[in-house]
């Protein structure tokens, strides 16, 4: 499993000098991410690689986490992320943007932008009610269940509530190009999260 952790810097456009085509890309500052731990089936019950990101002073992380990082020889980092799946990486190595190449298919995960409390029309794309003849049901959700049977509202009913600010994964993305000197990944299209948001970039294996 190939993967790296980074920060979303924002979006821009890439112009093709030959055809003049415009490609919207998201710029992600990723890595270098030191490998902290390699988990195996005999010891841990599953295969995974744990990498670190965002170096910080020692005082900003807990002592248990600091000891865990020192055991691998890594400096203090704010984030630890596990990438499930087999890998040839070893403890002490670093994952950089050179792991990926132009044309690689990836999926990007992050915390989506919070929209606050939203109604059913904005949150779930419900249709609005009638707007004439004295209707009072223009932006209301409508019926949410029967009265006598089952005399309750089913769990999972789509209703108004908090929108966004939760983990989201965008699949079907493609790497446009990389910039190893500045640790930049350029991904075609948009990815979840706000500017400077924490994101995980993993290879996408189509089944």
């Amino acid at each position: 499993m190939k993967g790296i952790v980074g920060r979303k810097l924002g979006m821009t456009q890439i112009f093709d000098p030959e055809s003049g085509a415009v490609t919207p890309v998201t710029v992600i500052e990723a890595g270098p991410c030191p490998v902290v731990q390699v988990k195996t089936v005999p010891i841990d019950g599953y295969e995974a690689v744990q990498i670190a990101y965002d170096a910080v002073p020692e005082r900003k992380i807990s002592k248990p986490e600091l000891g865990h990082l020192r055991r691998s020889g890594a400096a203090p980092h704010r984030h630890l992320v596990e990438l499930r799946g087999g890998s040839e990486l070893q403890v002490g190595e670093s994952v950089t943007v050179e792991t990926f190449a132009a044309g690689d298919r990836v999926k990007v995960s992050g915390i989506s932008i919070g929209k606050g409390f939203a109604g059913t029309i904005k949150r779930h794309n419900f249709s609005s009610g009638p707007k004439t003849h004295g209707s009072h049901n223009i932006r209301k959700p409508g019926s949410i269940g029967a009265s006598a049977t089952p005399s309750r509202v089913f769990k999972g009913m789509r209703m108004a509530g908090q929108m966004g600010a939760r983990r989201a994964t965008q699949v079907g993305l493609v790497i446009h190009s990389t910039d190893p000197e500045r640790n930049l990944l350029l991904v075609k299209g948009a990815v979840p999260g706000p500017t400077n948001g924490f994101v995980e970039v993993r290879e996408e294996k189509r089944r």
Side-chain angles (χ1 to χ4, degrees), residues 136-197:
H136 293 169
N137 191 29
I138 297 176
R139 294 184 69 88
K140 294 181 180 178
S143 174
I144 59 173
S147 57
T149 303
S151 297
R152 62 187 177 88
V153 177
F154 286 119
K155 290 182 179 180
M157 180 66 61
R158 293 181 298 170
M159 302 173 73
Q162 168 67 34
M163 181 177 179
R166 60 191 303 174
R167 182 179 172 88
T169 300
Q170 180 65 51
V171 300
L173 299 173
V174 178
I175 298 292
H176 180 276
S177 59
T178 63
D179 187 348
E181 293 183 0
R182 293 187 290 174
N183 297 319
L184 298 181
L185 272 178
L186 274 62
V187 180
K188 292 182 183 179
V191 304
T195 300
N196 290 325

Side-chain angles (χ1 to χ4, degrees), residues 96-119:
T96 64
V97 295
E98 294 177 309
T99 305
F100 296 94
D104 286 354
R105 303 189 69 88
V106 295
K107 53 185 177 182
V108 180
S109 301
I111 303 299
S112 61
I113 298 175
K115 305 295 176 65
F117 190 95

Side-chain angles (χ1 to χ4, degrees), residues 77-93:
H77 286 74
R78 191 186 303 275
H79 299 288
L80 290 177
V81 175
E82 272 194 8
L83 303 173
R84 287 291 189 103
S87 175
E88 297 179 355
L89 292 171
Q90 300 295 326
V91 174
E93 297 181 358

Side-chain angles (χ1 to χ4, degrees), residues 5 7 24 27 30 34 41 78 102 110 112-113 122 145 169 189 192 203:
V5 183
R7 195 177 301 278
V27 182
V41 174
R78 191 186 303 275
S112 61
I113 298 175
K122 180 176 180 179
T169 300
E203 67 173 336

Side-chain angles (χ1 to χ4, degrees), residues 122-135:
K122 180 176 180 179
R123 190 183 186 201
H124 300 297
N125 199 29
F126 278 17
S127 297
S128 61
K131 296 181 174 63
T132 57
H133 300 289
S135 171

